Amino acid sequence: MAFVGNLLGGYQAKQIGKYNESILQQQAAINTRNAEIKKTTFEQVTLPQLKKDQERNRSNQFVNLLSSGVDVSRIGDTPYLVMLEQSVEDAFSISVESYNSQTAYENELNTSLILQAQGRGKAFEGEVAFRTGIAKAGADIYMNKDKYESLLG
């Protein structure tokens, strides 16, 4: 009566596959949610704070230049060029931070997609094992039909 073990083993494999799929789907949902949280935090907290810090630094730089007695309004002179260079560096810094945030967000989403695919793979694996168990049980019954007469009527 090995067919009973084959049936139960196949059923067990199917259930484990479904369970593993559900765990991986939950992990994918958590990763997606974390990605959204990180993106929102960057957009609503980190980026405004960075801009505010840069504005404060520009203001301090401007005051320091004025305090030194130089004319900062003359385009092409050193104080103006220093302020222009600082503005370019600030814009570049924001671009880099935005790029890093977007890249991290996309990486989290990619990880979620991979986990979902792994979950589907686990479910398929369980289904294949289940069908294999059924086939083994059927083969065992057929091969031992004389022994299992009462089961076949």
Side-chain angles (χ1 to χ4, degrees):
M1 297 231 187
F3 70 91
V4 174
N6 290 331
L7 290 173
L8 292 176
Y11 179 75
Q12 176 189 15
K14 184 176 186 175
Q15 296 304 343
I16 289 172
K18 285 182 180 180
Y19 175 76
N20 288 339
E21 178 185 27
S22 71
I23 294 294
L24 289 168
Q25 295 297 336
Q26 287 175 356
Q27 185 61 48
I30 289 169
N31 281 15
T32 301
R33 181 70 181 131
N34 285 343
E36 295 294 334
I37 289 169
K38 288 176 185 177
K39 182 178 182 182
T40 302
T41 301
F42 174 77
E43 291 170 349
Q44 295 180 358
V45 177
T46 307
L47 186 59
Q49 184 179 14
L50 179 62
K51 288 180 178 179
K52 192 182 292 184
D53 289 346
Q54 289 177 349
E55 182 62 35
R56 184 176 49 252
N57 290 342
R58 275 194 302 276
S59 178
N60 288 340
Q61 181 185 42
F62 184 69
V63 169
N64 288 338
L65 288 171
L66 288 176
S67 299
S68 70
V70 298
D71 185 4
V72 294
S73 63
R74 292 182 17 203
I75 296 177
D77 286 347
T78 302
Y80 172 79
L81 294 176
V82 166
M83 290 176 11
L84 180 63
E85 183 179 341
Q86 186 60 49
S87 294
V88 169
E89 286 179 18
D90 289 347
F92 180 73
S93 178
I94 287 175
S95 295
V96 168
E97 291 295 326
S98 296
Y99 172 79
N100 288 343
S101 174
Q102 185 64 30
T103 301
Y105 173 73
E106 290 172 4
N107 285 341
E108 291 275 346
L109 291 182
N110 288 341
T111 301
S112 294
L113 293 173
I114 289 169
L115 286 171
Q116 288 175 348
Q118 287 175 337
R120 287 190 301 273
K122 291 295 184 184
F124 178 73
E125 206 176 276
E127 184 64 31
V128 168
F130 173 69
R131 291 177 185 207
T132 302
I134 296 224
K136 282 182 179 179
D140 182 58
I141 290 171
Y142 181 76
M143 297 297 288
N144 295 303
K145 60 185 171 191
D146 295 334
K147 184 177 178 184
Y148 302 146
E149 267 180 45
S150 60
L151 293 176
L152 298 174

